[in-house]
Amino acid sequence: MGKSPDEMMAAILRNLPAKTGRDADAWAALIKAEGPAEPRACARWLKQTHGLGGATAQVLAAHALGGIHDLTPDQRLDKLYRGREALRPIGDRLTVLALGLGAEVTSMVLSTMVSFSARLKFAEAKLVGKGRLDLGLALGQGPLPPSAIPLIPVKTADASDRITYRIPLASVDDITEEVAAWLARAHARVATRD
């Protein structure tokens, strides 16, 4: 069985010395001395200035400054969808589909999205304004088979981001069998890796 989001965050903090050469308290001191005071801006700064991965940067920023990681999972979801309640059924349906792909699948509620992993991140449900949620998928860079739904390539400056395509969703009805199949395909790519 996969780790809960809180277990994953604790593991990130615990593994910092081996991964980065600094423990969580040393990172917190650096953040407070030199980094931005807002958690999202701080996470960006940690990624750009110190080369940390996205999840590590977000967890460290929250650890040092407080933020969404200090909340329970239910409180995180409430905060994520505050003012965008109409999008929550879309996110809830994607979560059910993703978690149904295997016992190893975990979800993590972050400040702007819900991330899905099976050892590696394979998808995310990301809020885009008040009227849309994008399903981001880790489908690699190679050519994809034809699709009846729009698979939009993701352009990102962050090479550590695994998400390569997105599918815009404005209602639960947009989550068709084909959307579910693309989600399963992204999961299969990470679930079969050694």
Side-chain angles (χ1 to χ4, degrees):
M1 181 168 214
K3 293 180 182 177
S4 73
D6 292 329
E7 290 169 331
M8 290 172 67
M9 288 182 263
I12 287 171
L13 292 174
R14 186 175 52 252
N15 294 327
L16 282 170
K19 187 174 178 181
T20 69
R22 288 187 176 119
D23 67 11
D25 291 336
W27 277 109
L30 177 70
I31 288 166
K32 289 175 182 174
E34 300 177 19
E38 192 275 319
R40 278 191 223 167
C42 181
R44 269 192 309 276
W45 174 76
L46 288 167
K47 286 168 57 175
Q48 294 168 351
T49 305
H50 296 282
L52 298 180
T56 301
Q58 287 186 6
V59 169
L60 267 175
H63 173 74
L65 304 172
I68 197 164
H69 298 288
D70 295 332
L71 305 174
T72 68
D74 287 338
Q75 290 171 327
R76 290 180 203 143
L77 277 171
D78 290 343
K79 183 173 181 175
L80 177 66
Y81 289 107
R82 189 172 298 131
R84 299 175 271 198
E85 288 80 5
L87 297 176
R88 189 161 185 167
I90 303 168
D92 289 348
R93 178 70 181 133
L94 290 173
T95 298
V96 167
L97 289 171
L99 295 177
L101 293 171
E104 79 288 357
V105 176
T106 61
S107 66
M108 183 184 298
V109 183
L110 302 170
S111 57
T112 61
M113 73 181 83
V114 178
S115 175
F116 304 105
S117 301
R119 292 186 299 167
L120 296 171
K121 180 176 174 179
F122 68 90
E124 65 188 23
K126 188 170 190 174
L127 297 169
V128 182
K130 291 191 177 192
R132 194 178 90 220
L133 184 148
D134 281 357
L135 172 60
L137 300 167
L139 295 171
Q141 299 293 338
L144 297 175
S147 174
I149 57 172
L151 279 169
I152 303 166
V154 172
K155 295 181 176 125
T156 179
D158 185 356
S160 70
D161 195 350
R162 298 183 42 77
I163 302 302
T164 53
Y165 289 89
R166 64 183 175 85
I167 300 171
L169 304 167
S171 77
V172 174
D173 293 337
D174 291 341
I175 305 173
T176 63
E177 287 183 27
E178 188 174 2
V179 170
W182 282 111
L183 180 62
R185 182 184 182 112
H187 169 259
R189 286 188 79 247
V190 300
T192 57
R193 287 190 170 185
D194 294 322

